[in-house]
Amino acid sequence: MSAPRPGRVAGKTALITGAAGGLGQAMAFMLAREGATVAVTDIEGDRAADLAARLNAAIPGAAFAYAHDVASEADWERVIAAAVADLGGLSVLINNAGVGGPLAFVEQDTVENWQRQYEINLRSVMLGAKHAMPHLRAAAPASIVNISSIAGLAAAPGMGAYNATKAGVWMYTKTLALEAAKADWNVRCNSVHPVFIRTPILDPFVAMAGGDEAKAHERLSRGIPLKRIGEPDDVAYCVLYLASDESKFVTGAEFKIDGGMTAQ
């Protein structure tokens, strides 16, 4: 392994799921700029490879990429084994992969909708923690950061599966935090809860506004006290703090990246 690059997470090795999307990319670049070596994974392996290539062009040796279906336990075992071998260990796990679903009220909702969101949003977090934990313990001090949502703390009609799975991430994070703390593993676990962030996940809202992005974002920001939607780096800076040893006394906590929305 080459000498660690300087930064707030110098020498850390991090695996980020769902990294081909807007939030995942921002996290990967943020951690790499601050000294970490990152494993970026996504079900779209070509996009993960493209991200790693861009990272390595900017910061040589900063990234490795893997195709990864987070709903598959076999894929978790394969990817973690490869990442540990390539990175020389694993000290940070960021469970970022997630999906939404159609607006579906209870009488029109489907088991298939719930199953898909459960497997990708919640079950994947358990699988990641299960298979990463031995390596995180070996690399301690270590950190798990689970990306939930404001929708895991505040409900909305027609979003039953998303609300329930993201709330599950929130509570499971606390379970992991307590298990690790009581076992003296020196592995912290926290959850991050963004509201509307400027990523492709807002594309359906833009489409509803007739393709007018500014109008869509203005509508979405009406309930946010800071009167704007968030940027990917707003989330990435929080993840950076939680991945770093700066947060060594922080575990079992939830971080709201919501412009004050849930303070009302």
Side-chain angles (χ1 to χ4, degrees):
M1 296 290 290
S2 59
R5 287 171 280 107
R8 293 170 63 186
V9 284
K12 297 287 188 183
T13 51
L15 190 154
I16 308 168
T17 67
L23 286 183
Q25 290 192 41
M27 295 170 197
F29 272 98
M30 181 77 71
L31 292 177
R33 284 195 301 266
E34 290 291 338
T37 305
V38 298
V40 293
T41 87
D42 202 277
I43 195 166
E44 297 185 50
D46 290 346
R47 292 182 65 203
D50 176 70
L51 171 60
R54 288 186 283 122
L55 276 163
N56 287 325
I59 309 168
F64 297 83
Y66 313 91
H68 184 193
D69 177 1
V70 296
S72 164
E73 184 164 18
D75 250 24
W76 269 109
E77 292 174 313
R78 173 184 60 81
V79 167
I80 286 181
V84 167
D86 288 338
L87 275 62
L90 187 65
S91 55
V92 180
L93 171 65
I94 302 170
N95 283 306
N96 172 65
V99 294
L103 192 68
F105 296 92
V106 60
E107 293 181 74
Q108 290 77 42
D109 211 345
T110 65
V111 170
E112 292 77 15
N113 179 43
W114 275 73
Q115 187 68 24
R116 178 172 181 265
Q117 294 194 57
Y118 160 71
E119 289 183 354
I120 297 174
N121 293 350
L122 181 54
R123 183 172 175 265
S124 71
V125 174
M126 180 278 290
L127 291 174
K130 174 182 178 179
H131 293 290
M133 190 63 80
H135 305 288
L136 295 169
R137 291 170 61 188
S143 176
I144 298 174
V145 184
N146 293 328
I147 308 302
S148 179
S149 169
I150 284 301
L153 303 174
M159 294 178 61
Y162 194 71
N163 286 144
T165 54
K166 289 300 188 178
V169 171
W170 170 48
M171 194 51 59
Y172 185 58
T173 297
K174 294 180 180 296
T175 299
L176 286 174
L178 292 175
E179 288 182 3
K182 290 180 181 297
D184 293 325
W185 289 342
N186 201 10
V187 178
R188 298 173 297 99
C189 190
N190 297 284
S191 59
V192 176
H193 301 257
V195 72
F196 305 118
I197 305 295
R198 192 187 303 272
T199 69
I201 201 170
L202 300 187
D203 288 351
F205 297 98
V206 175
M208 290 168 60
D212 188 330
E213 184 177 75
K215 180 185 290 185
H217 291 179
E218 189 277 329
R219 288 176 178 173
L220 292 173
S221 66
R222 287 175 186 170
I224 300 174
L226 289 182
K227 299 181 177 64
R228 65 173 181 86
I229 62 171
E231 301 293 339
D233 274 357
D234 293 330
V235 180
Y237 274 115
C238 181
V239 171
L240 171 63
Y241 167 69
L242 293 173
S244 79
D245 294 337
E246 297 166 9
S247 54
K248 61 185 174 62
F249 199 53
V250 178
T251 196
E254 58 281 334
F255 289 77
K256 304 171 186 177
I257 314 297
D258 71 348
M261 188 175 183
T262 54
Q264 300 179 98

